[in-house]
């Protein structure tokens, strides 16, 4: 494996995050702060403040006050503002991407792509917000008519993980603003400034004070405080299953609506009749994107018996040639994990699997003395009782096993309680039709890992959550339905 190094001094370009409340970036004052650490160097690059109860109350009050004004702003005008924000994100792509890489480690090329895609989503929301139509239904008596109208649900709270700090922020705030709602948004404390940069684009584009707030701190304290308030009518969360379940419990106290984008453990079924070279190339590229810290990351690969050995050899060869290094170095194919905990978790999962008989074909070790790097890893013949067969690794580990026929493959794929993404590779129409029908997932990719566009709903089933972001459904998620009978 090659190791790329970063020649630049990364800490120079970073400004510490601040809270955004009622349209004003707050001075930190005597608030508690925690360091933001560059995972490629393990060095602090700045700080992130902790919101107090008083900060959260002010954000709630502002979100409530701003709601009727934003709701009354025409969808066309809201769309214009969001479109301006999309343009600003596009213009500031380099600066935003650099912040994301500094904070959470992904290669700069991936951060640029994330920012580009996020600005496209913002543009989609700008347009789709104009199409929140209702309908008219003729009544049964004389002149009575029924109007079905869609209305914004009210002030909302959004909580996201750090893995797509730009994309998650744009997705949550863009959909909410398109629907006419306000949002208090809490990004992951690991990557606070990237999310703040998205908020800055919205403010510079003309989003009024109070419509969005950005807060950080102790996650459980913040979510409990916001969810206990009657002001918040809906929450949207992107993160792990355990935290999602916890938030649903809190939300149920106030009967608040929820959208839950939770974890996954995506299966990939590769049939003998598939284009093996293409499947291999795409699989390696997607597995190690963002160091595997992607909720739709392909993880459990099942390969049909005749193709198995060659696929394993090819996977290991390609994985071991990837350059691991600082994301700011354009030569790096893969950056570090976000923090030491993630790296230690991956290490433990790999050790558990090999101790139970899995073959280690590539990686399986740390890289560098500094930075939370872990080598692109390939495990084969992994027994069912290895933890990695059922626990989401969220890291750079591919798990390869064989299957005999379609029934065997689909049973293995659907075995886990997760249902976010699933993939299949085959050139048989019959197999493709059966995969499309029978894979239990919110998103299915056939002969491709491209399962998400601004126009398509993104979300899972089973333990991977409920509701969708993006697509028509992404705006609809922040609206309630009212029926009006007029005689
Ligand atoms: P996590 O659930 O611990 O944290 C995710 C985010 O939630 C973080 O920003 C964290 O600060 C916040 N959080 C944690 N506890 C909270 C609480 N009580 N209230 C409010 N917010 C809280 O998960 P993690 O280990 O940091 O991230 C990885 C997990 O997130 C994986 O399981 C992954 O699959 C999942 N994830 C899912 C998606 C998706 O779209 N489905 C996207 C990204 C990450």
């Amino acid at each position: 494996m090659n190791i790329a190094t970063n020649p630049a001094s990364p800490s120079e370009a970073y400004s510490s995050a601040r809270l955004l409340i009622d349209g004003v970036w707050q001075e930190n004052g005597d608030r508690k702060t925690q360091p933001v650490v560059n995972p490629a160097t393990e060095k602090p690059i700045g700080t992130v403040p902790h919101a107090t109860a008083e900060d959260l109350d002010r954000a709630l009050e502002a979100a409530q006050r701003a709601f009727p004004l934003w709701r009354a702003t025409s969808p066309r005008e809201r769309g214009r503002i969001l479109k301006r924000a999309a343009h600003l994100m596009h213009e500031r792509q380099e600066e935003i991407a650099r912040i994301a890489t500094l904070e959470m480690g992904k290669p700069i090329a991936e951060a640029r792509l994330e920012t580009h895609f996020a600005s496209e989503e913002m543009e989609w929301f700008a347009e789709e917000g104009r199409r929140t139509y209702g309908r008219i239904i003729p009544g049964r008596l004389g002149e009575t008519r029924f109007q079905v109208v869609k209305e914004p649900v009210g002030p909302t709270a959004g909580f996201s993980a750090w893995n797509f700090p730009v994309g998650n922020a744009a997705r949550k705030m863009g959909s909410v603003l398109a629907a006419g709602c306000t949002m208090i948004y809490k990004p992951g404390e690991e990557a606070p400034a990237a999310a703040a940069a998205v908020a800055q684009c919205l403010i510079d584009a003309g989003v009024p004070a109070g419509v969005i707030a950005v807060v950080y701190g102790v996650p459980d304290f913040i979510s409990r405080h916001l969810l206990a308030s009657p002001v918040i009518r809906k929450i949207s969360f992107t993160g792990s299953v355990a935290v999602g379940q916890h938030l649903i419990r809190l939300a149920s106290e106030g009967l608040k609506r929820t959208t839950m984008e939770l974890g996954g453990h995506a299966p990939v079924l590769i049939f003998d009749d598939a284009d093996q070279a293409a499947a291999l190339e795409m699989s390696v590229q997607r597995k190690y994107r963002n160091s595997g810290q992607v909720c739709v990351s392909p993880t459990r690969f099942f390969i049909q018996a005749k193709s198995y050995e060659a696929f394993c050899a090819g996977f290991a060869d390609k994985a071991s040639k990837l350059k691991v290094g600082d994301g700011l170095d354009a030569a790096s194919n893969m950056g570090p994990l976000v923090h030491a905990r993630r790296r230690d978790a991956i290490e433990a999962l790999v050790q558990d699997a090999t101790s139970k008989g899995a073959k280690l074909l590539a990686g399986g070790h740390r890289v560098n003395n500094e930075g939370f790097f872990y080598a692109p890893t390939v495990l084969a013949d992994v027994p069912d009782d290895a933890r990695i067969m059922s626990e989401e690794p969220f890291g750079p580990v591919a798990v390869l096993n064989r299957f005999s026929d379609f029934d065997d493959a689909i049973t293995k794929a659907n075995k886990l309680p997760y249902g976010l993404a699933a993939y299949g590779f085959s050139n048989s129409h019959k197999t493709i039709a059966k995969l499309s029908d029978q894979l239990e997932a919110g998103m299915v990719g056939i002969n491709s890992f491209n399962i998400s566009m601004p126009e398509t709903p993104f979300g899972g089933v089973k333990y991977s959550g409920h509701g969708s972001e993006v697509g028509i459904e992404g705006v609809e998620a922040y609206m309630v339905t009212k029926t009006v009978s007029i005689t």
Side-chain angles (χ1 to χ4, degrees):
M1 185 186 34
N2 300 305
I3 297 173
T5 51
N6 169 32
S9 163
S11 55
E12 284 163 17
Y14 189 82
S15 317
S16 287
R18 288 184 289 162
L19 303 172
L20 174 67
I21 298 173
D22 207 1
V24 178
W25 295 103
Q26 310 287 310
E27 293 302 330
N28 283 349
D30 53 8
R31 284 182 193 85
K32 202 174 159 207
T33 61
Q34 72 183 61
V36 177
V37 172
N38 178 344
T41 61
E42 299 184 34
K43 300 215 163 57
I45 52 173
T47 56
V48 57
H50 284 197
T52 62
E54 195 222 330
D55 291 326
L56 299 174
D57 286 339
R58 283 200 298 129
L60 284 164
E61 190 274 321
Q64 187 174 30
R65 177 166 27 87
F67 174 59
L69 300 174
W70 185 244
R71 176 192 161 141
T73 305
S74 73
R76 180 165 174 262
E77 180 53 24
R78 294 200 296 253
R80 280 185 172 167
I81 293 174
L82 291 183
K83 208 164 248 186
R84 273 201 295 273
H87 287 312
L88 289 173
M89 286 176 69
H90 186 67
E91 270 173 33
R92 298 174 191 176
Q93 178 173 300
E94 199 53 36
E95 178 194 335
I96 297 175
R98 190 178 161 81
I99 296 171
T101 293
L102 275 172
E103 289 182 330
M104 55 74 59
K106 68 177 61 180
I108 188 74
E110 287 186 25
R112 285 186 191 118
L113 211 60
E114 177 182 345
T115 311
H116 171 74
F117 196 73
S119 75
E120 289 215 329
E121 287 195 350
M122 194 65 86
E123 196 174 324
W124 158 260
F125 289 127
E127 292 159 358
E128 194 54 24
R130 297 173 69 172
R131 287 188 271 278
T132 48
Y133 308 136
R135 63 186 193 273
I136 301 277
I137 301 168
R140 296 185 176 186
L141 296 174
E143 289 157 5
T144 304
R145 283 177 180 208
F146 287 80
Q147 287 178 356
V148 179
V149 289
K150 300 282 174 186
E151 296 182 340
V153 63
T156 67
F159 308 96
S160 286
W162 37 265
N163 61 338
F164 287 96
V166 183
N168 286 339
R171 199 171 262 201
K172 293 250 188 283
M173 292 192 274
S175 51
V176 157
L177 298 192
C181 300
T182 55
M183 176 171 261
I184 301 175
Y185 180 61
K186 193 197 84 59
E189 282 67 26
E190 292 85 351
V198 175
Q200 187 67 58
C201 291
L202 287 164
I203 290 167
D204 292 345
V207 171
V211 171
I212 49 167
V214 182
V215 297
Y216 321 94
V218 178
D220 193 48
F221 169 72
I222 293 177
S223 56
R224 276 181 194 278
H225 196 94
L226 295 181
L227 281 164
S229 164
V231 169
I232 298 298
R233 294 312 322 150
K234 152 123 197 178
I235 63 159
S236 177
F237 172 70
T238 299
S240 62
V241 174
V243 173
Q245 289 172 315
H246 169 65
L247 293 179
I248 289 171
R249 277 183 218 111
L250 291 182
S252 73
E253 292 289 319
L255 280 179
K256 297 176 202 297
R257 291 167 184 245
T258 57
T259 292
M260 291 286 150
E261 300 286 358
L262 309 180
H265 204 314
V268 188
L269 306 180
I270 297 174
F271 288 80
D272 282 335
D273 63 12
D275 179 339
Q276 296 293 322
L280 177 64
E281 188 69 35
M282 287 187 261
S283 296
V284 175
Q285 196 262 331
R286 279 308 169 107
K287 175 65 252 180
Y288 301 109
R289 179 169 75 117
N290 207 6
S291 303
Q293 302 165 118
V294 180
C295 50
V296 294
S297 182
T299 292
R300 289 176 299 137
F301 289 83
F302 298 106
I303 301 107
Q304 202 159 9
K306 249 176 29 196
S307 314
Y308 182 66
E309 296 297 339
F311 193 88
C312 289
F315 210 115
D317 180 52
K318 284 180 186 296
S320 55
K321 287 185 176 142
L322 293 172
K323 282 195 167 101
V324 178
D326 192 314
L328 287 180
D329 186 332
S332 302
N333 303 121
M334 196 182 92
L337 290 152
V338 70
H339 40 49
R341 281 198 319 283
R342 264 277 40 86
R343 183 203 48 206
D344 297 350
I346 296 300
E347 202 163 49
L349 284 172
V350 172
Q351 272 164 11
D352 169 77
T354 50
S355 75
K356 288 173 177 156
K359 287 186 197 144
L360 180 65
L361 302 187
H365 55 84
R366 297 178 181 201
V367 179
N368 276 4
N369 290 330
E370 70 171 20
F372 309 123
F373 296 98
Y374 195 82
T377 297
V378 184
L379 295 171
D381 299 345
V382 187
D384 262 354
D385 65 344
R387 281 171 45 212
I388 201 164
M389 290 304 288
S390 51
E391 281 177 39
E392 179 187 30
F394 221 60
V397 189
V399 177
L400 276 43
N401 278 307
R402 78 185 81 209
F403 70 86
S404 54
D405 56 13
F406 184 89
D407 289 346
D408 184 30
I410 204 80
T411 305
K412 288 181 156 109
N414 289 339
K415 190 173 173 200
L416 298 188
Y418 293 112
L420 190 58
Y423 309 94
F425 288 77
S426 167
N427 275 328
S428 148
H429 286 297
K430 202 169 153 199
T431 303
I432 289 173
K434 287 204 294 183
L435 285 173
S436 312
D437 276 358
Q438 296 182 33
L439 281 169
E440 294 172 1
M443 292 165 287
V444 172
I446 303 290
N447 293 327
S448 164
F449 290 102
N450 294 330
I451 50 166
S452 178
M453 299 196 304
E455 297 84 354
T456 56
F458 187 104
V461 297
K462 297 163 57 180
Y463 272 68
S464 293
H466 53 242
S468 302
E469 297 194 292
V470 230
I472 298 170
E473 292 82 353
V475 179
E476 176 117 7
Y478 292 97
M479 309 208 78
V480 287
T481 305
K482 180 189 273 178
T483 303
V484 182
S485 145
I486 301 176
T487 303

